Amino acid sequence: MEEVTGAQLIAEALKTQSVEYMFGVVGVPVIEVAMAAQAAGLKYVGMRNEQAACYAASAVGYLTGRPGACLVVSGPGLIHALGGMANSNMNCWPLVVIGGSSDQNQETMGAFQEFPQVEACRLYSKFSARPSGLDAIHSVIEKAVRTSMCGRPGACYVDISGDMVNAKVDRSKVRVVHCCPPPPVSLADPTAVTEALSVLKGAKRPLIIIGKGAAHGRAEAAVRELVETSGLPFLPTPMGKGVLPDNHPNCVAASRSRALLQADVVVLLGARLNWILHFGLPPRFDPNVKVIQVDLCAEEMGNNVRPAAALLGDINAVVGQLLRYIRRDGWSYPSDTKWWSILKEKIAANAQISKALALQSSVPMNYYMVFHHVSQLLPQDCIIVSEGANTMDVGRTMLHNYLPRHRLDAGTFGTMGVGLGFAIAAAVVEKGRDKCQRVVCVEGDSAFGFSGMEVETMCRYNLPVIIIVVNNNGIYSGVDTETWKEMAKTGDLTSIAPPVTLLPEARYDEVMRAFGGQGFLVRTVEELRRALETSLSDWERPSLLNVLIDPASDRKQQEFPWLTRSNL
């Protein structure tokens, strides 16, 4: 008779379900679970905060298609991970959280860190349950993994009471559960496909919008063929960047506002009409715009704007359906239309404005100067992680992506603090694949502060992540050192310092050096280029570039900024 512990069963169940990576912060009662996971062959990454661990695990789900696991302790540990679970759900990324909880025989007695975890997680997940006994662990984890991937992907929670971790059961009593298959592939109704093509053929100003749903659905080859066969212009959403290269001749990202405003037919490929796309409503969109919506979630159809055609199904499969009809009819959108002329003129005009800002030679630098020189040095196959306010917005336009799933940012939930967790996840996955794709994490100084201690995690695991902190001394904007000193002389800073300010010229580079990584203080273009070239050449340790820019630096005036109130 072979006895196995609950911890072993959890690890074996995750391994059976092809979960490769676990991120977490251990303590009572889950230390043994992490040890068992390593013994079973999972890669365990110990983080410094549960929130960052949960961000990392969710990013693995997006990058690999199979959920990452996040391991947390009871009570506060699980509560810290709720932010990551909510972010995963909003981004539609598969994730499984394993949470330890207080012993079952102490429930309602005021046990250590007792908290209604299963009930709390129902608000933040697709599935939340505690196995009824050790013999049920395999089946519950299988359902959690399967649920996290099927339909609209998202977070799932499995609760493990402390007394289950070290309890033992005869292995013969444990029901064998096989690995769940990938999500089933569904096709759109052929009638809906015909309706969509009829609408598309009648368009004078068509536009394809490529969302991160297309990236998650591994639809890049089909989408490329659709764009190039049809000759249609396309606009990627922030994490839809790279499904087709940003330098593709049909990409009109540099004319985003104009394209959205004047398009008369929009094809949504795994993109949602939420705040990122201004809800599909005026004044950002034409009030008479016709929407062709391709999505795997039925509830998404008609959200904010009623679609002229709704194609429910797997993005990759549905795009294949559209292609077959287009090839059969021999249809394509002409390249010499007035619409193409309008888009190209706007692209050229915006490029000139950005170029003028980028080629300034002032010290301190502005955003455009920094990103111009960074973009010249980054390899095309690098994974770019980005978060911040202006840092992320300017980076979306100036730091190009050429490969799918190579950009991770604040996403649908607009979550600050995701950057370092995402970067760790990307680096661990790339290391596991034995690939040579660099991970470059571009952060605002405010965003970096949310999870800055994770640089120790990077150093501990020798992850060659390059962090670029674009430091303007504040949230949105800050003040220079002299102004700060004058304010400090006049009274209590809690009463007079603007709420958006941070400590001027904070030495984030020294934080990286403290743990053995490379830290660079950057003030000039020459220092920036030298530091980045040095960092790109070093594969042995992480680097941090603390790039000091003008505290008053701002992005160029936007016709329609990302965050504006709708005129409804």
Side-chain angles (χ1 to χ4, degrees):
M1 183 177 69
E2 181 190 0
E3 288 189 325
V4 288
T5 66
Q8 288 175 292
L9 289 172
I10 295 165
E12 291 173 5
L14 290 169
K15 184 69 174 179
T16 298
Q17 299 307 318
S18 296
V19 174
E20 294 184 63
Y21 301 95
M22 176 181 283
F23 303 82
V25 179
V26 295
V28 176
V30 298
I31 296 174
E32 291 85 355
V33 176
M35 296 172 67
Q38 287 181 315
L42 275 74
K43 296 179 175 66
Y44 175 78
V45 179
M47 306 284 282
R48 299 303 299 266
N49 180 277
E50 291 91 355
Q51 199 171 62
C54 206
Y55 293 146
S58 67
V60 163
Y62 175 63
L63 293 168
T64 69
R66 208 78 184 177
C70 177
L71 180 68
V72 298
V73 299
S74 52
L78 183 276
I79 292 169
H80 291 164
L82 293 179
M85 293 173 69
N87 189 68
S88 178
N89 267 359
M90 291 294 183
N91 276 329
C92 307
W93 291 354
L95 164 71
V96 173
V97 176
I98 309 291
S101 60
S102 50
D103 291 1
Q104 293 180 84
N105 63 358
Q106 296 175 356
E107 285 183 356
T108 75
M109 296 175 64
F112 175 66
Q113 295 184 337
E114 183 176 358
F115 186 72
Q117 297 180 186
V118 175
E119 293 87 341
C121 287
R122 289 199 176 108
L123 289 173
Y124 301 88
S125 63
K126 296 179 65 182
F127 170 78
S128 180
R130 173 191 286 178
S132 57
L134 298 185
D135 57 339
I137 286 175
H138 266 275
S139 59
V140 170
I141 286 181
E142 186 275 340
K143 183 169 184 177
V145 171
R146 174 164 43 87
T147 304
S148 77
M149 296 187 299
C150 290
R152 174 179 280 178
C156 291
Y157 176 67
V158 177
D159 191 77
I160 305 294
S161 63
D163 52 341
M164 292 179 72
V165 172
N166 290 310
K168 295 182 179 180
V169 65
D170 183 351
R171 186 180 287 280
S172 65
K173 296 180 180 179
V174 177
R175 183 161 64 93
V176 176
V177 179
H178 297 290
C179 182
C180 64
V185 175
S186 56
L187 294 170
D189 184 341
T191 303
V193 177
T194 302
E195 291 173 355
L197 288 169
S198 177
V199 173
L200 188 57
K201 290 177 183 178
K204 293 181 179 179
R205 300 180 303 280
L207 177 68
I208 292 177
I209 299 179
I210 301 173
K212 70 173 174 288
H216 184 271
R218 272 61 180 169
E220 51 268 18
V223 172
R224 178 189 281 271
E225 191 172 352
L226 174 65
V227 167
E228 294 179 352
T229 301
S230 67
L232 293 168
F234 74 89
L235 172 72
T237 62
M239 273 192 276
K241 285 166 65 68
V243 172
L244 291 187
D246 282 341
N247 62 352
H248 192 284
N250 291 45
C251 181
V252 295
S255 181
R256 180 181 187 273
S257 293
R258 185 65 53 86
L260 295 179
L261 179 62
Q262 296 188 10
D264 63 351
V265 172
V266 168
V267 182
L268 295 174
L269 298 181
R272 290 174 278 176
L273 292 177
N274 54 22
W275 67 273
I276 293 177
L277 289 174
H278 312 294
F279 314 107
L281 299 173
R284 282 73 169 174
F285 282 76
D286 186 308
N288 298 312
V289 66
K290 295 179 180 178
V291 175
I292 298 168
Q293 198 165 3
V294 182
D295 205 286
L296 54 70
C297 180
E299 291 83 357
E300 190 61 36
M301 298 300 184
N303 193 37
N304 295 320
V305 175
R306 182 177 180 177
L311 280 64
L312 178 64
D314 175 81
I315 302 292
N316 193 39
V318 173
V319 171
Q321 287 180 281
L322 290 168
L323 268 169
R324 285 192 289 275
Y325 281 76
I326 288 173
R327 288 197 211 98
R328 183 195 66 187
D329 296 347
W331 176 83
S332 66
Y333 183 72
S335 60
D336 59 352
T337 61
K338 184 179 179 181
W339 178 230
W340 265 118
S341 297
I342 290 170
L343 294 173
K344 289 177 180 178
E345 287 172 7
K346 188 61 175 176
I347 289 170
N350 283 341
Q352 287 299 316
I353 296 171
S354 296
K355 184 177 180 181
L357 290 166
L359 295 180
Q360 291 178 5
S361 57
S362 59
V363 176
M365 295 180 284
N366 64 44
Y367 285 104
Y368 292 86
M369 293 171 64
V370 171
F371 286 118
H372 171 72
H373 292 280
V374 168
S375 66
Q376 288 187 332
L377 296 174
L378 290 186
Q380 288 195 356
D381 64 355
C382 75
I383 296 174
I384 298 174
V385 180
S386 183
E387 63 171 333
N390 289 335
T391 299
M392 184 169 61
D393 288 349
V394 178
R396 283 168 173 165
T397 62
M398 296 194 68
L399 298 180
H400 289 179
N401 287 88
Y402 304 91
L403 295 169
R405 296 169 296 282
H406 276 53
R407 177 174 290 265
L408 299 161
D409 68 19
T412 306
F413 214 21
T415 308
M416 289 296 102
V418 296
L420 272 63
F422 284 179
I424 288 169
V428 169
V429 168
E430 288 303 305
K431 210 170 183 180
R433 293 172 174 170
D434 293 325
K435 291 191 175 180
C436 296
Q437 295 179 352
R438 300 305 300 265
V439 178
V440 180
C441 185
V442 186
E443 302 262 308
D445 50 331
S446 172
F448 176 78
F450 281 84
S451 53
M453 192 54 69
E454 297 299 342
V455 298
E456 185 273 334
T457 306
M458 295 176 182
C459 291
R460 185 171 7 119
Y461 290 101
N462 296 318
L463 301 176
V465 176
I466 299 170
I467 303 172
I468 301 174
V469 178
V470 185
N471 186 352
N472 70 344
N473 303 342
I475 305 168
Y476 304 113
S477 63
V479 298
D480 58 39
T481 303
E482 292 306 314
T483 302
W484 182 265
K485 289 178 179 177
E486 290 301 317
M487 287 194 302
K489 291 177 184 177
T490 59
D492 184 354
L493 287 168
T494 61
S495 301
I496 60 176
V500 296
T501 55
L502 299 173
L503 184 68
E505 300 190 5
R507 295 301 301 272
Y508 302 114
D509 51 304
E510 296 287 358
V511 176
M512 178 63 85
R513 284 182 186 161
F515 297 112
Q518 294 190 103
F520 302 90
L521 181 65
V522 172
R523 296 181 185 272
T524 67
V525 166
E526 292 75 18
E527 291 173 346
L528 173 62
R529 295 184 70 94
R530 187 163 56 249
L532 186 51
E533 287 171 347
T534 300
S535 299
L536 287 168
S537 67
D538 190 341
W539 286 85
E540 300 301 320
R541 52 182 175 165
S543 301
L544 189 150
L545 283 64
N546 184 14
V547 184
L548 305 183
I549 69 168
D550 183 352
S553 179
D554 201 356
R555 66 174 307 185
K556 65 184 177 65
Q557 188 65 37
Q558 300 296 296
E559 186 175 1
F560 292 115
W562 290 93
L563 287 176
T564 53
R565 294 188 182 278
S566 297
N567 296 331
L568 300 177

